[in-house]
Amino acid sequence: MDINLIISYLRDITANNNREWFHAHKAEYDRARKEFEAAVEQLMAKITVFDPSIAHLTIKDVTYRFNRDTRFSPDKSPYKRHFGAYIAAKGKKSLHGGYYIHFQPGNCFIATGSYWLPTNILTACRNEIMANIDEWRKAVENGQFVKTYGYPGGEMADYTDESEMTSKGFGMVHLKKAPKDFPADYEFIDYLKMKDYCCWHRMEESDFTDDKWMTTVCKMFKIAKPMMDFTNAVIDDYE
């Protein structure tokens, strides 16, 4: 993968985010998009080795339109500033957790899990965590998970294309108090305060110049997979 070609184009569109420039440089977009999609397809093949549930997905199932939806946003820039792919067995619009990769100048990262879960599913996940706390802790408190993603905390609720992702994190949004009908003095209350079960790890552009970058990314995905499998077992009961 030519990461420099991808990042160079994304820098240019960030500086020239208008339709006139985009159409005048459509060939550059096509080259960058083709490079990105080829890399994602190769990554999907490697993920399939340890997660066969995503084997049926095509590149269209996991990628997004480059045009932004500006209807409800004060930012009327017509195009995104990144390329992203969400590799989830039940589709990119499902609640079922998956694997995400994000290329953006100065803000590349990977993520695993589910984001913005409805209250009823969150409640079910919280109950399941309490009922199987040893299994949950084994998934999220082992050395590899903590080193890669950290502990629950932080606040990325207002993340946008102009935000900088933190170096690592577990849970995009966290309640300040215990959720309703859950004991505030529960020993592992931080896991119940989470409003999503998504973890991420920020990466440098230089991390993608090495031919072994897919192996590194898959290793991080595999570290997070037990956590995602735990929550997906609950989520799938509702989908």
Side-chain angles (χ1 to χ4, degrees):
M1 177 182 67
D2 189 343
I3 187 66
N4 293 324
L5 185 153
I6 293 171
I7 295 298
S8 177
Y9 175 77
L10 292 172
R11 284 201 184 98
D12 288 343
I13 193 64
T14 299
N16 304 277
N17 205 317
N18 61 77
R19 290 179 175 82
E20 292 76 18
W21 188 93
F22 177 82
H23 288 292
H25 297 81
K26 184 62 163 49
E28 296 168 29
Y29 166 78
D30 290 340
R31 285 195 294 270
R33 181 82 182 199
K34 183 177 180 180
E35 192 75 17
F36 168 71
E37 290 185 351
V40 171
E41 287 183 316
Q42 293 177 48
L43 180 62
M44 289 166 64
K46 289 186 175 293
I47 293 172
T48 300
V49 174
F50 62 87
D51 189 347
S53 72
I54 63 103
H56 64 286
L57 298 174
T58 68
I59 193 67
K60 289 184 179 180
D61 295 324
V62 305
T63 51
Y64 299 87
R65 296 173 68 249
F66 197 56
N67 297 71
R68 295 180 62 250
D69 183 353
T70 62
R71 290 174 298 171
F72 308 107
S73 173
D75 178 6
K76 299 304 179 182
S77 301
Y79 304 107
K80 295 175 181 175
R81 301 168 178 86
H82 71 272
F83 287 143
Y86 183 50
I87 305 164
K90 295 193 175 184
K92 59 192 174 189
K93 294 183 179 180
S94 71
L95 296 173
H96 184 91
Y99 312 95
Y100 180 72
I101 187 164
H102 183 102
F103 290 121
Q104 184 177 357
N107 198 32
C108 298
F109 63 90
I110 62 96
T112 307
S114 298
Y115 182 51
W116 288 121
L117 292 172
T119 300
N120 63 325
I121 299 180
L122 266 176
T123 298
C125 285
R126 289 162 176 159
N127 283 324
E128 193 71 14
I129 288 172
M130 289 187 71
N132 298 278
I133 189 61
D134 290 341
E135 179 185 350
W136 176 255
R137 292 183 65 201
K138 184 179 180 181
V140 302
E141 291 184 6
N142 66 78
Q144 286 186 318
F145 188 95
V146 173
K147 181 179 179 181
T148 307
Y149 302 109
Y151 294 102
E155 187 66 37
M156 296 297 295
D158 298 323
Y159 178 81
T160 68
D161 249 6
E162 296 180 351
S163 306
E164 285 194 9
M165 188 61 96
T166 54
S167 62
K168 59 184 177 182
F170 184 27
M172 298 284 284
V173 185
H174 303 261
L175 297 173
K176 293 182 179 180
K177 298 180 180 180
K180 184 180 179 182
D181 299 326
F182 286 87
D185 60 351
Y186 180 59
E187 183 179 0
F188 306 106
I189 192 63
D190 284 347
Y191 296 127
L192 308 187
K193 289 180 179 179
M194 298 171 72
K195 294 190 70 175
D196 61 89
Y197 293 99
C198 171
C199 58
W200 68 89
H201 186 98
R202 185 166 168 173
M203 301 183 70
E204 301 298 327
E205 293 161 23
S206 58
D207 293 332
F208 297 98
T209 58
D210 191 311
D211 290 340
K212 297 179 180 179
W213 73 265
M214 289 189 193
T215 300
T216 300
V217 168
C218 283
K219 181 179 179 181
M220 290 192 284
F221 284 157
K222 287 172 70 175
I223 289 169
K225 187 174 182 294
M227 178 276 296
M228 183 178 71
D229 288 345
F230 186 106
T231 54
N232 273 342
V234 179
I235 293 167
D236 288 350
D237 286 341
Y238 293 82
E239 286 199 316

